[in-house]
């Protein structure tokens, strides 16, 4: 057991940060950063939309984070910092959160931003369309705006992770005057996003680039420093490497650069590499099983698949050391992780024994079962991982058909339960009550909603434990429940957790203040500047 961050600690941090109204990351900038310059950034794959309320995929979050903002930001230690809220307080009983908003904030169309926008976003909009915000804001008994710059959330019960729910892709604040009374999913503004962020959408040429220009009315006076940002859509991995080597692009992140290219690029004099900026996300890559389909409805089959995959091979040969084998549903860097869970060492003989026990005997062609793996369209590393999994399962008599698609098609298949098995990467969002429970509680089995409990896992004991752990006041009591959760889930294997990922972010050294928070390149870039 390690790295337990008690709920009481989260509350204490929130209170302290609120009282101090900590300075934003801009304080780390030079005294007078130069204005001007254009940053060219790799984006791959191309996001299906920039509207973070209805799509929270990584590409959408990276690009949409320049448009939409939320009430708070988080430093590398996951302590809250001001965002659209300049200060906040939490009542001693942990039930009432009061946010004081920044003054002089305008939407990109010039309409003033007020507390009514926050009330509408959290009470109406996000609870209707956002899979991970819905269970958070449904905990509010009352959301009110006593004045245009104050928002008060009165919760039904204690929920300390509430203070961690305010990064842009989790709780994007949307304009009430644009969305109220409309069909949120088909509103024309989804194609021409209007936010409060430091950059405004100028042009989106599908398949080529997304062009942002400085928001001259941004509420942080004098910012952003850059004139413009171009997101360059570069689906070819070799082209991305060349673009970074030659300075045609200035920033890559996540899986933009093939893992085998990382050591070489790291040595280039024009680039610096960091793995910071992913602390809030704490991502795990796993195999997601559709438990409605045979043979995935049998736990022994899922356990067999887990035993058949060599996670050390994945780490060393596919991800070139950028990560470590995952032990279960909770990332080792976030609160309530417990390593004392059932183990699934690489053991093909054990896997075959489990399949024999199921009665899945090899046919004349040596095949026990045929399944389909939907490739995760986030870069070649996932393609190679899929190919390895096909080979690994083939050795135990499970024939895997690989199916490829673009991001939108892949998302549609998964959200509508039209898959057998897929690789998946999701964020833990700083706390298991925010980023983990949503994937396993039966109340979040929602067809058509990506990143919900899409595989259909249902266990009343898990539902009960997640509900009680989220509101537990005693940290030790919460840990006891999260430990039981991890043991049950690892025994059931609703998904096969593969690796905790480290991502390399490459930055052209001409640019400063690029990674300044726990969400890294998904942040707004108000502080980024170009050296002369």
């Amino acid at each position: 057991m390690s790295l337990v961050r008690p709920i009481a600690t989260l509350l204490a941090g929130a209170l302290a940060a609120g009282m101090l109204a900590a300075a934003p990351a801009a304080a780390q900038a030079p005294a007078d950063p130069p204005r001007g310059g254009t940053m060219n950034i790799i984006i791959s794959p191309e996001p299906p939309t920039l509207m973070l309320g209805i799509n929270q995929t990584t590409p959408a979050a990276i690009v949409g984070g320049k448009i939409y903002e939320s009430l708070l930001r988080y430093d590398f230690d996951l302590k809250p910092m001001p965002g659209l809220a300049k200060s906040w307080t939490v009542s001693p009983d942990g039930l009432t959160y009061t946010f004081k908003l920044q003054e002089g904030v305008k939407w990109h169309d010039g309409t003033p931003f007020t507390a009514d926008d926050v009330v509408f976003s959290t009470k109406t909009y996000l609870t209707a369309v956002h899979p991970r915000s819905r269970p958070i804001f449904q905990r509010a008994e009352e959301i009110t705006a006593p004045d245009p710059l104050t928002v008060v959330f009165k919760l039904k019960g204690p929920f300390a992770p509430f203070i961690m729910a305010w990064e842009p892709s989790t709780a994007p604040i949307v304009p009430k005057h644009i969305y109220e009374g409309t069909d949120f999913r088909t509103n024309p503004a989804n194609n021409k996003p209007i936010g409060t962020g430091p950059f405004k959408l100028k042009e989106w040429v599908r398949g080529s680039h997304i062009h942002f220009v400085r928001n001259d009315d941004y509420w942080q006076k004098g910012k952003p420093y850059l004139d413009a940002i171009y997101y360059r859509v570069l689906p070819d991995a070799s082209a991305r490497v060349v673009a970074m080597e030659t300075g045609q692009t200035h920033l890559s992140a996540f899986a933009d650069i093939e893992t085998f290219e990382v050591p070489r690029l790291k040595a280039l004099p024009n680039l610096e590499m960091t793995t910071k900026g992913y602390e809030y996300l704490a991502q795990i890559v796993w195999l997601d099983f559709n438990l409605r389909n045979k043979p995935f409805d049998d736990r022994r089959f899922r356990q067999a698949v887990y035993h058949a995959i060599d996670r050390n091979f994945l780490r060393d040969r596919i991800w070139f050391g950028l990560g470590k084998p995952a032990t279960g549903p909770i990332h080792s860097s976030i609160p309530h992780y417990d390593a004392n869970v059932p183990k699934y060492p690489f053991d093909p003989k054990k896997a075959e024994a489990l399949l024999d026990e199921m009665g899945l005997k090899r046919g004349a062609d040596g095949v026990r079962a045929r399944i389909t793996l939907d490739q995760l369209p986030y870069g070649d590393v996932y393609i190679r991982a899929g190919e390895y999994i096909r080979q690994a399962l083939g050795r135990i008599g499970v024939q895997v058909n690989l199916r490829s698609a673009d991001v939108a098609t892949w998302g549609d298949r998964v959200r509508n339960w039209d898959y057998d098995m897929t690789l998946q990467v999701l964020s833990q969002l700083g706390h298991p009550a925010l980023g983990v429970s949503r994937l396993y509680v039966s109340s979040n089995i929602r067809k058509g909603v990506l990143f919900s409990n899409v595989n259909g896992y249902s266990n009343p004991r898990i539902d009960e434990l997640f509900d009680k752990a989220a509101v537990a006041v005693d940290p030790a009591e919460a840990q006891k429940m999260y430990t039981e959760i991890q043991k049950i889930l690892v025994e059931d294997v609703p998904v096969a957790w593969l690796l905790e990922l480290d991502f390399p972010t490459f930055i052209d050294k001409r640019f400063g203040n690029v990674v300044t928070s726990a969400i890294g390149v998904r942040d707004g870039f108000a502080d980024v500047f170009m050296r002369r």
Side-chain angles (χ1 to χ4, degrees):
M1 192 182 303
S2 65
L3 290 175
V4 175
R5 189 193 303 268
I7 283 179
T9 303
L10 285 175
L11 266 178
L15 285 164
M19 287 186 289
L20 293 173
Q28 303 169 12
D32 187 20
R35 286 172 63 86
T38 296
M39 192 173 202
N40 288 283
I41 305 173
I42 292 171
I43 190 70
S44 179
E46 188 170 17
T49 175
L50 305 185
M51 208 314 152
L52 294 184
I54 58 174
N55 190 292
Q56 297 83 44
T57 57
T58 294
I62 291 172
V63 184
K66 311 300 173 286
I67 301 171
Y68 295 102
E69 297 179 299
S70 194
L71 298 191
L72 302 175
R73 300 171 68 231
Y74 301 93
D75 69 13
F76 296 126
D77 295 322
L78 300 182
K79 293 178 181 176
M81 302 187 294
L84 285 174
K86 64 180 180 182
S87 65
W88 56 96
T89 58
V90 186
S91 63
D93 61 5
L95 294 178
T96 303
Y97 290 70
T98 301
F99 294 91
K100 294 291 185 181
L101 305 182
Q102 305 281 359
E103 299 174 1
V105 181
K106 293 181 180 178
W107 294 100
H108 290 170
D109 63 0
T111 303
F113 159 82
T114 73
D116 286 341
D117 293 305
V118 181
V119 173
F120 169 76
S121 297
T122 53
K123 188 175 182 179
T124 304
Y125 181 90
L126 294 175
T127 52
V129 300
H130 198 298
R132 64 178 189 249
S133 284
R134 180 170 175 263
I136 296 170
F137 294 114
Q138 284 184 337
R139 294 178 180 276
E141 179 176 286
E142 189 176 67
I143 306 173
T144 58
D147 65 61
L149 294 176
T150 305
V151 184
V152 179
F153 294 82
K154 185 176 181 181
L155 305 187
K156 298 171 185 175
F159 184 59
F162 190 76
I163 202 66
M164 300 299 298
W166 298 100
E167 65 88 29
S169 73
T170 300
I173 304 303
V174 302
K176 177 183 177 183
H177 68 284
I178 297 292
Y179 282 95
E180 186 176 39
T182 72
D183 183 333
F184 300 154
R185 296 185 185 279
T186 62
N187 189 304
N190 294 341
N191 296 321
K192 296 180 180 178
I194 295 173
T196 59
F199 291 93
K200 301 167 70 170
L201 179 64
K202 174 71 172 179
E203 178 186 52
W204 185 353
V205 179
R206 298 272 180 177
S208 174
H209 63 268
I210 302 168
H211 180 193
F212 286 114
V213 294
R214 177 196 291 126
N215 175 10
D216 289 323
D217 291 328
Y218 191 52
W219 54 272
Q220 293 190 54
K221 299 305 179 187
K223 298 179 183 178
Y225 300 115
L226 295 176
D227 290 333
I229 293 175
Y230 280 89
Y231 279 97
R232 303 292 182 182
V233 180
L234 296 175
D236 181 73
S238 298
R240 294 196 293 269
V241 172
V242 171
M244 290 301 297
E245 284 181 314
T246 59
Q248 298 174 57
T249 57
H250 309 122
L251 178 64
S252 66
F254 288 94
D256 289 338
I257 300 301
E258 288 296 319
T259 49
F260 64 83
E261 296 276 21
V262 168
R264 189 171 64 82
L265 262 64
K266 190 177 179 180
L268 294 179
N270 62 314
L271 300 176
E272 62 177 310
M273 192 197 94
T274 180
T275 56
K276 293 185 73 64
Y278 299 94
E279 293 80 4
Y280 185 89
L281 304 179
Q283 292 190 327
I284 294 178
V285 59
W286 67 70
L287 266 177
D288 199 315
F289 307 126
N290 187 343
L291 307 188
R292 304 168 189 83
N293 295 355
K294 291 186 179 302
F296 297 100
D297 59 341
D298 191 317
R299 185 172 69 180
R300 294 169 296 182
F301 184 80
R302 305 191 297 268
Q303 292 173 331
V305 170
Y306 213 177
H307 276 299
I309 296 172
D310 185 347
R311 284 171 283 161
N312 289 326
F313 179 90
L314 282 172
R315 177 197 58 196
D316 297 337
R317 305 298 293 274
I318 305 295
W319 268 272
F320 285 79
L322 290 165
K324 64 179 182 180
T327 61
I330 297 180
H331 194 286
S332 62
S333 70
I334 72 166
H336 302 301
Y337 169 75
D338 194 334
N340 185 25
V341 295
K343 308 299 182 188
Y344 291 86
F346 176 54
D347 189 344
K349 290 184 177 178
K350 175 68 173 176
E352 295 228 44
L354 286 164
L355 297 178
D356 287 340
E357 183 181 315
M358 288 177 61
L360 284 177
K361 305 296 183 184
R362 289 181 184 268
D365 57 359
V367 175
R368 299 172 183 268
R370 292 176 173 81
I371 60 176
T372 295
L373 170 63
D374 280 279
Q375 297 275 43
L376 185 63
Y378 284 1
D380 289 353
V381 68
Y382 296 102
I383 301 299
R384 292 201 301 278
E387 289 169 349
Y388 164 73
I389 291 167
R390 177 172 62 177
Q391 294 173 10
L393 298 191
R395 296 189 191 103
I396 62 169
V398 177
Q399 186 178 87
V400 177
N401 170 48
L402 298 177
R403 185 165 67 166
S404 301
D406 58 21
V407 175
T409 302
W410 172 84
D412 285 343
R413 286 172 177 166
V414 175
R415 84 174 79 240
N416 291 307
W417 309 341
D418 177 24
Y419 72 103
D420 279 341
M421 183 171 72
T422 185
L423 279 166
Q424 180 65 281
V425 179
L426 279 184
S427 303
Q428 307 253 308
L429 308 176
H431 196 280
L434 300 179
V436 180
S437 63
R438 61 186 168 131
L439 305 169
Y440 307 106
V441 296
S442 57
S443 60
N444 209 29
I445 299 174
R446 305 172 66 202
K447 192 170 188 178
V449 180
L450 199 58
F451 309 140
S452 59
N453 182 353
V454 292
N455 65 10
Y457 179 74
S458 180
N459 183 328
R461 180 59 177 162
I462 287 293
D463 293 345
E464 178 187 5
L465 288 168
F466 268 125
D467 284 345
K468 290 183 176 179
V471 301
V473 175
D474 181 356
E477 184 67 17
Q479 182 60 56
K480 183 179 178 182
M481 289 185 277
Y482 280 119
T483 290
E484 185 178 349
I485 286 169
Q486 289 168 85
K487 289 181 176 178
I488 293 173
L489 287 176
V490 174
E491 185 68 30
D492 280 351
V493 197
V495 308
W497 306 274
L498 302 177
L499 293 178
E500 296 181 357
L501 297 179
D502 286 334
F503 292 104
T505 295
F506 285 98
I507 305 167
D508 189 308
K509 289 182 178 177
R510 288 174 291 176
F511 292 85
N513 272 347
V514 176
V515 175
T516 59
S517 74
I519 64 170
V521 299
R522 295 159 54 124
D523 215 341
F525 280 17
D527 300 314
V528 177
F529 66 95
M530 184 176 181
R531 296 183 176 89
R532 300 303 185 191

